[in-house]
């Protein structure tokens, strides 16, 4: 994500209004994922959507348990959880976890086109969940033995994979690589793909992108460094976060090999003057 004209706006400090929103909805509403993320962005918030970030379980490229831990980690790192549509089994568990973490929970239903409106908890519809189980969640009863996802207590560090739009097509492979290293990728080209069809302002996307860099523990750079990646390096360095550099070897399968900052290459030779920032 590179645009010199908006760098100052894109990488301004995270304000108190820029809350990180974990989105939860049934796989039956998978087709609404872009609309949901756009709705949250247009509300001035930053969406972290599992169905955007990991597509549909990473298309089977990684162990599903890695995704379960990653989803739990993202929920823990979020400020609020917003529920869209019917309450499925997985949505129920995310509500349960959010309640345990004292996260604010909001419920929404689709009303027209790309629009959603907030509704009360007592008006939600259960998709494939027993009413007694829903009552248990509302009453804060312990459910750990009822669902495999609740057996995962661990979390993984959040990593922001930074790469030029020229390497956009490696997005799924990059996320797979991070997950297999037991890191949770907050992959901007997947979370905001591709800028959600221009249904939100570029400024809104850049602001949200800055917010996910802010909450990341590490920055992993893949391929050549663009001016946008340079800005992401500045943010993570200010926070004292860890940075790693990877060379992309375009083979089948693709290979990511860790290199030193000294060996990293720039996308544009005019950026070489900023090497001291690496």
């Amino acid at each position: 994500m590179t645009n010199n004209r908006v760098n100052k706006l894109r990488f301004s400090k995270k304000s108190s209004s820029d809350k990180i929103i974990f989105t939860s909805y049934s796989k039956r509403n998978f087709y609404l994922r872009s609309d949901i993320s756009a709705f949250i962005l247009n509300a001035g918030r930053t969406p972290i959507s599992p169905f955007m970030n990991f597509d549909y379980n990473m298309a089977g490229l990684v162990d599903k348990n890695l995704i379960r831990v990653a989803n739990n980690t993202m929920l823990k790192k979020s400020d609020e959880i917003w529920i869209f549509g019917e309450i499925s089994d997985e949505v129920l568990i995310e509500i349960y976890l959010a309640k345990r973490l004292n996260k604010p929970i909001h419920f929404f239903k689709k009303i027209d086109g790309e629009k959603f409106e907030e509704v009360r908890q007592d008006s939600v519809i259960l998709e494939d969940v027993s009413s007694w189980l829903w009552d248990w969640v509302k009453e804060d009863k312990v459910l750990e033995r009822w669902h495999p996802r609740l057996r995962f207590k661990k979390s993984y560090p959040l990593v922001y994979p930074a790469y030029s739009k020229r390497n956009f097509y490696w997005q799924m492979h990059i996320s797979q690589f991070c997950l297999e290293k037991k890191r949770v990728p907050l992959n901007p080209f997947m979370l905001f793909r591709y800028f959600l069809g221009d249904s939100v302002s570029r400024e809104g996307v850049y602001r949200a992108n800055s917010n996910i860099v802010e909450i990341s523990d590490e920055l992993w750079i893949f391929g050549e460094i663009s001016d946008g990646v340079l800005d992401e390096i500045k943010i993570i360095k200010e926070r004292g976060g860890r940075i790693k550099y990877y060379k992309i070897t375009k083979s089948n399968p693709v290979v990511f090999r860790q290199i030193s900052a000294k060996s990293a290459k720039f996308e544009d030779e005019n950026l070489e003057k900023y090497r001291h920032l690496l």
Side-chain angles (χ1 to χ4, degrees):
M1 294 187 181
T2 303
N3 190 327
N4 286 326
R5 293 174 299 173
V6 295
N7 277 353
K8 289 184 179 179
L9 172 65
R10 173 185 168 193
F11 294 104
S12 58
K13 292 293 184 180
K14 182 174 181 289
S15 71
S16 58
S17 64
D18 284 328
K19 291 183 178 179
I20 306 296
I21 307 299
F22 182 91
T23 69
S24 179
Y25 45 96
S26 165
K27 62 185 179 184
R28 295 182 186 177
N29 289 322
F30 178 82
Y31 72 99
L32 291 173
R33 59 184 184 151
S34 292
D35 291 344
I36 289 170
S37 289
F39 172 76
I40 294 171
L41 284 165
N42 285 325
R45 304 292 190 268
T46 299
I48 293 183
S49 168
F51 278 135
M52 294 295 291
N53 200 34
F54 303 129
D55 205 86
Y56 192 78
N57 290 329
M58 287 292 294
L61 292 173
V62 299
D63 186 328
K64 191 172 181 179
N65 286 337
L66 290 175
I67 297 176
R68 284 172 171 154
V69 174
N71 284 344
N72 289 354
T73 301
M74 293 191 300
L75 197 158
K76 290 175 185 176
K77 292 284 189 173
S78 299
D79 297 307
E80 300 180 1
I81 178 172
W82 289 13
I83 313 298
F84 291 85
E86 301 81 7
I87 308 298
S88 66
D89 175 67
E90 287 291 334
V91 172
L92 180 84
I93 296 307
E94 287 164 351
I95 294 172
Y96 175 80
L97 289 171
K99 287 171 71 69
R100 291 272 157 171
L101 294 166
N102 294 315
K103 304 282 187 184
I105 304 171
H106 298 272
F107 298 86
F108 295 85
K109 71 174 183 179
K110 185 175 175 62
I111 53 173
D112 181 46
E114 301 174 359
K115 297 180 181 179
F116 301 87
E117 71 174 7
E118 189 166 2
V119 296
R120 292 169 43 174
Q121 177 180 282
D122 58 14
S123 69
V124 300
I125 298 172
L126 303 182
E127 180 182 283
D128 55 4
V129 173
S130 299
S131 58
W132 66 267
L133 200 54
W134 176 232
D135 289 338
W136 274 28
V137 170
K138 291 188 291 183
E139 295 166 9
D140 294 324
K141 292 186 177 180
V142 177
L143 291 184
E144 262 69 9
R145 68 185 184 132
W146 290 99
H147 199 282
R149 184 168 164 186
L150 295 177
R151 293 197 287 269
F152 295 99
K153 305 297 183 184
K154 57 189 173 183
S155 296
Y156 295 149
L158 295 180
V159 63
Y160 181 94
Y163 52 102
S164 165
K165 63 184 178 183
R166 295 182 186 178
N167 288 317
F168 167 80
Y169 50 89
W170 296 118
Q171 57 182 312
M172 186 76 82
H173 298 279
I174 287 171
S175 287
Q176 177 187 0
F177 178 79
C178 295
L179 284 165
E180 290 176 346
K181 296 291 186 181
K182 292 185 168 52
R183 297 293 189 275
V184 180
L186 296 179
N187 193 328
F189 282 112
M190 295 186 72
L191 282 168
F192 311 124
R193 68 178 80 184
Y194 193 91
F195 294 174
L196 303 179
D198 289 327
S199 57
V200 298
S201 69
R202 288 293 175 94
E203 290 80 5
V205 173
Y206 292 141
R207 185 203 70 249
N209 189 61
S210 176
N211 291 341
I212 63 174
V213 177
E214 287 275 357
I215 67 169
S216 296
D217 301 299
E218 303 176 11
L219 182 76
W220 289 9
I221 298 164
F222 294 87
E224 300 81 7
I225 297 171
S226 64
D227 58 345
V229 172
L230 265 177
D231 286 323
E232 290 154 357
I233 291 172
K234 293 175 188 175
I235 290 180
I236 211 74
K237 276 184 172 285
E238 287 177 2
R239 295 183 56 252
R242 187 178 182 185
I243 301 176
K244 292 183 179 181
Y245 299 83
Y246 291 91
K247 178 181 179 180
I248 301 175
T249 301
K250 299 175 182 179
S251 56
N252 188 15
V254 63
V255 174
F256 303 111
R257 181 171 62 85
Q258 188 172 355
I259 58 175
S260 66
K262 185 177 180 180
S263 300
K265 296 185 181 299
F266 289 94
E267 184 176 271
D268 186 330
E269 62 181 16
N270 292 324
L271 296 175
E272 187 65 41
K273 59 188 176 184
Y274 297 111
R275 182 167 291 278
H276 65 282
L277 297 176
L278 304 187

